Amino acid sequence: MSVVGSVSHPRIAVGIAALAAGSLIATPSVAPPSDVVASAVELTASPFDPYVDLITNTFTNLGVIGAHWLEDPLPTVVQLATNWFDYAQRTLEAFGATAQSFVDGLINLPDQLDTLFSAISSSEITAALGQAIIIVISAFPVLGLVDRLVAIPIDIVGNIVNAAMATLHAVQVPVGLAALSSLQAVVAELETLAHNFVDDLSAGDITGALFGLIGAPADLLNAYLNSEAPGLAGLLAPFEDVNQTGFVDALVNYLPRAVAESIGASYAPLEGSLADLGDFDLGDLGEPSALVPGF
């Protein structure tokens, strides 16, 4: 191959590049029509985008719900165990206090008997009767033991009532409300899709209408599961407050924490706060008849 032939190709390439550059400089740029730009933008969209959104939103919300659960996996069980350990401790303390009272009574018995006999010898019947009662109570401290032990089932009954009230309230709001809001989200999304479909057909946008039909099932399911519109929380929407939460987060995380708080837990569930239902404490009731107004 000759040296001239080997050099001719680069020269030809340089010439073509120069001509192309000159044409670009000499020719003024012309903006493409707006409808062409719009068509190009539409081509970048996909009828399967709603399905991608559905999968993404679902896994995101499941992750948030799982994180809420991991913060306190079994709040009701933990609080029940805490309460029962407390009941056991109170029972042991009651028997210990009773035994100590019995020993103290025996130690003080000689002095108390002297006081009793002195009252009898002085014909002080009232003082003697009072001293006799003191001796019996000191030597046999059964009444104090009974009082301490009876307080435990009273507290248990009070916790059962509190837990029932918290459960009833949570089943109504937010659990029941969340179940209804997810259905309302589907209805709202269906109306939006129908409106968009009619608008696309009226504008002659057959492609847009077809895309809407293809993505409609995913849009409806996404609204049912993941809607976060105000008052239209989907089934998996994360908890925000008692009026804006998904059914799953409310049932799995809010309800157990609400019950745990009603029986002694000191924290509020999730980021919201419990409605103040009041505490039902049987220990504060003087007579059994006072139980009726409490209900």
Side-chain angles (χ1 to χ4, degrees), residues 88-99 141 144-145 148-149 152:
Q89 182 179 1
R90 289 165 58 184
T91 301
L92 294 176
E93 290 176 353
F95 280 103
T98 302
L145 176 63
R148 288 169 176 260
L149 295 180
I152 294 176

Side-chain angles (χ1 to χ4, degrees), residues 37-283:
V37 175
S39 299
V41 172
E42 289 180 358
L43 289 175
T44 62
S46 169
F48 300 104
D49 286 345
Y51 293 90
V52 176
D53 294 338
L54 170 63
I55 295 174
T56 302
N57 295 337
T58 299
F59 276 96
T60 299
N61 288 339
L62 286 175
V64 173
I65 294 172
H68 284 167
W69 186 82
L70 289 175
E71 291 173 1
D72 194 356
L74 300 171
T76 304
V77 174
V78 170
Q79 189 57 41
L80 284 173
T82 301
N83 289 349
W84 280 102
F85 276 118
D86 178 66
Y87 300 148
Q89 182 179 1
R90 289 165 58 184
T91 301
L92 294 176
E93 290 176 353
F95 280 103
T98 302
Q100 184 62 46
S101 297
F102 178 74
V103 173
D104 293 340
L106 292 179
I107 294 174
N108 297 326
L109 183 60
D111 295 336
Q112 292 174 343
L113 289 175
D114 288 340
T115 304
L116 174 63
F117 294 147
S118 297
I120 294 175
S121 62
S122 301
S123 300
E124 296 177 0
I125 305 302
T126 303
L129 181 59
Q131 188 61 36
I133 294 175
I134 293 174
I135 292 174
V136 172
I137 293 177
S138 299
F140 305 98
V142 178
L143 293 180
L145 176 63
V146 171
D147 180 66
R148 288 169 176 260
L149 295 180
V150 169
I152 294 176
I154 289 177
D155 288 346
I156 293 175
V157 173
N159 284 336
I160 292 174
V161 174
N162 287 336
M165 293 173 63
T167 302
L168 179 62
H169 184 271
V171 166
Q172 296 173 356
V173 179
V175 176
L177 180 63
L180 294 177
S181 67
S182 58
L183 298 177
Q184 293 173 338
V186 174
V187 174
E189 182 65 20
L190 182 60
E191 293 177 354
T192 301
L193 292 176
H195 181 74
N196 292 340
F197 181 76
V198 172
D199 287 346
D200 289 338
L201 290 181
S202 300
D205 186 4
I206 304 301
T207 301
L210 182 60
F211 278 22
L213 286 177
I214 295 175
D219 286 328
L220 292 175
L221 185 57
N222 194 30
Y224 179 67
L225 294 178
N226 304 306
S227 172
E228 295 184 8
L232 300 175
L235 209 67
L236 301 178
F239 180 92
E240 294 183 14
D241 55 54
V242 293
N243 296 315
Q244 181 69 21
T245 178
F247 175 80
V248 175
D249 209 3
L251 182 64
V252 173
N253 293 313
Y254 179 90
L255 178 59
R257 298 188 186 193
V259 174
E261 185 174 357
S262 71
I263 61 175
S266 59
Y267 54 85
L270 304 180
E271 290 108 15
S273 58
L274 280 175
D276 188 7
L277 300 178
D279 289 331
F280 189 86
D281 189 0
L282 294 180

